[in-house]
């Protein structure tokens, strides 16, 4: 029996229109363009308009990915959507997206792995295709993270932005996705979390009912660098590859210094690393597919090249995917 792999048939992405620069932020909180750029590499980020939701961003990114793949939404077997900022508690954002795309009937669900959401969603989709359970899958990472940012908290509000990216995966006899590697450590949950919810309860006396990102930036930074180092090593080892075999690193876009640390570990010059954090900020699940789509459309990434995708997020969660584009 021939082995089945999943291949990326098309990519798409979408950013909301409104741009918030570091100078704009310095009018809201006690910060400066200089501080934000030197600590994070971020210059600006996009912010969803009032009423614009995660499923809206996902829809625009998905339409572009389907177009690029030459796939009709009706032919999708599955939609997996990574998000930590769903439109509603339920139905899932994947179901809302499915209906808007006109793909009613196929399976559709969300994956919540915070900023690693896209890598987790991609992994699930890959397993469906490899097992023969699906042939054509839409994988999305979409977020409106600025909806849970505390705009009075300068240590975190400068980091995040909104956006979405999507890929269409198709079954193929040639790889495609070579391997994926996922991890989590729930013991570190309080270092990066949003501590309210349906079951725990909300805090009506607090702004936004207590919905806000709490983060211990320094600890997250150190843990992220170590976790990403280790998952990148694990991925190379699993494929019997040398770090110099990778053509492009497409990292989660949280902080330029974290990205540079991973690139150094791989002995990769920064001109082989896709960087969008300067213009997008941290768009959580949206960041990796946004960066991938931008690099594909700009002509940087070419068919046949070897790509290493990685991400780290709240949970903690982290993971990597190695694929031949
Ligand atoms: N503007 C100006 N000053 C700020 C500031 C801001 N936006 N945010 C914090 N500061 C100040 C602090 O109050 C502190 O001042 P002090 O020395 O007088 O106490 C100083 O800058 C240094 O703060 P610190 O938190 O130690 O800075 P840092 O170098 O660790 O950078 C982060 C902070 C958040 C940028 C960095 O830790 C980081 O990027 N962490 C990872 C976060 C992340 O990626 N999260 C998502 C993962 S998916």
């Amino acid at each position: 029996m021939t082995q089945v792999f999943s291949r990326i048939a098309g990519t798409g992405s979408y950013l909301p229109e409104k741009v918030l620069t570091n100078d704009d932020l310095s009018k809201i909180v006690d910060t400066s363009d200089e501080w934000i750029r030197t600590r994070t590499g971020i210059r600006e980020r996009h912010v969803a308009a009032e009423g614009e939701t995660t499923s809206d961003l996902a829809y625009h990114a998905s339409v572009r990915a389907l177009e690029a793949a030459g796939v009709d939404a009706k032919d999708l077997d599955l939609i997996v959507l990574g998000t930590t900022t769903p439109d509603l508690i339920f139905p899932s954002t994947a179901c809302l997206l499915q209906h808007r795309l006109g793909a009613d009937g196929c399976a559709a669900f969300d994956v919540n792995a915070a900023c690693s959401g896209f890598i987790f969603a991609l992994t699930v989709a890959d397993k469906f295709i490899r097992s023969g359970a699906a042939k054509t899958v839409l994988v999305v990472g979409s977020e409106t993270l600025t909806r849970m940012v505390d705009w009075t908290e300068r240590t975190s509000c400068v980091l995040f932005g909104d956006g979405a990216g999507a890929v269409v995966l198709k079954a193929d006899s040639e790889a495609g996705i070579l391997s994926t590697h996922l991890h989590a450590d729930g013991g570190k949950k309080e270092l990066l979390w949003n501590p309210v919810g349906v079951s725990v309860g909300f805090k009506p006396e607090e702004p936004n009912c207590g919905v806000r990102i709490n983060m211990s930036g320094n600890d997250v930074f150190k843990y992220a660098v170590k976790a990403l180092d280790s998952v990148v090593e694990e991925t190379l080892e699993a494929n019997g590859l040398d770090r110099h075999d990778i053509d492009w690193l497409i990292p989660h876009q949280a902080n330029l210094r974290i990205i540079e640390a991973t690139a150094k570990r791989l002995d990769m010059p920064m001109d082989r690393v896709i960087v969008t954090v300067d213009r997008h900020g941290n768009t959580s699940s949206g960041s990796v597919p946004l960066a991938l789509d931008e690099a594909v459309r700009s002509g940087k990434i070419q068919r046949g090249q070897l790509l290493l995708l990685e991400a780290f997020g709240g949970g903690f969660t982290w993971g990597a995917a190695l694929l031949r584009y």
Side-chain angles (χ1 to χ4, degrees), residues 30-31 35 39-40 115 154-155 158-159 192 215 217-218 220-221 252 254-255 257-258 282 312-313:
D30 181 15
T31 190
W35 193 95
R39 302 286 174 133
T40 71
C115 295
R154 69 174 183 177
T155 54
V158 301
L159 303 176
L192 178 56
M215 185 180 65
N218 237 298
V220 173
F221 190 102
H252 173 46
N255 182 312
R257 292 186 293 145
I258 298 177
N282 180 348
F312 180 88

Side-chain angles (χ1 to χ4, degrees), residues 242-256:
D242 181 80
R243 52 195 181 157
H244 298 113
D245 296 330
I246 309 293
D247 291 306
W248 292 101
L249 174 65
I250 299 135
H252 173 46
Q253 311 283 323
N255 182 312
L256 186 60

Side-chain angles (χ1 to χ4, degrees), residues 54-67:
T54 295
S55 70
D56 292 330
L57 310 191
Y59 173 74
H60 296 303
S62 300
V63 166
R64 290 174 185 174
L66 288 163
E67 260 171 32

Side-chain angles (χ1 to χ4, degrees), residues 4 8 57-58 61 67 80-81 125 133-134 173 183-184 269 271 308 312 320 323:
V4 179
I8 293 183
L57 310 191
E67 260 171 32
V80 192
L81 186 146
S173 54
H183 296 278
D271 60 6
L308 180 60
F312 180 88
L323 61 98

Side-chain angles (χ1 to χ4, degrees), residues 44-163:
E44 57 188 40
R45 68 288 290 143
H46 290 249
V47 177
E50 210 181 315
E52 193 175 29
T53 64
T54 295
S55 70
D56 292 330
L57 310 191
Y59 173 74
H60 296 303
S62 300
V63 166
R64 290 174 185 174
L66 288 163
E67 260 171 32
V71 166
D72 193 312
K74 291 191 173 54
D75 296 328
L76 291 171
D77 302 316
L78 170 68
I79 299 173
V80 192
L81 186 146
T83 192
T84 189
T85 48
D87 287 25
L88 305 168
I89 289 158
F90 72 89
S92 70
T93 305
C95 285
L96 304 178
L97 172 67
Q98 181 212 45
H99 180 60
R100 199 157 158 202
L101 288 171
D104 295 11
C106 73
F109 57 88
D110 288 357
V111 168
N112 179 353
C115 295
S116 311
F118 179 76
I119 302 286
F120 276 60
L122 188 75
T123 300
V124 172
D126 180 49
K127 304 292 182 204
F128 265 79
I129 288 181
R130 280 176 186 254
S131 71
K135 284 195 167 60
T136 311
V137 183
L138 176 65
V139 187
V140 189
S142 184
E143 304 275 8
T144 46
L145 225 66
T146 64
R147 294 276 155 73
M148 55 184 189
V149 157
D150 177 351
W151 295 105
T152 66
E153 226 285 285
R154 69 174 183 177
T155 54
S156 63
C157 78
V158 301
L159 303 176
F160 300 104
D162 301 329

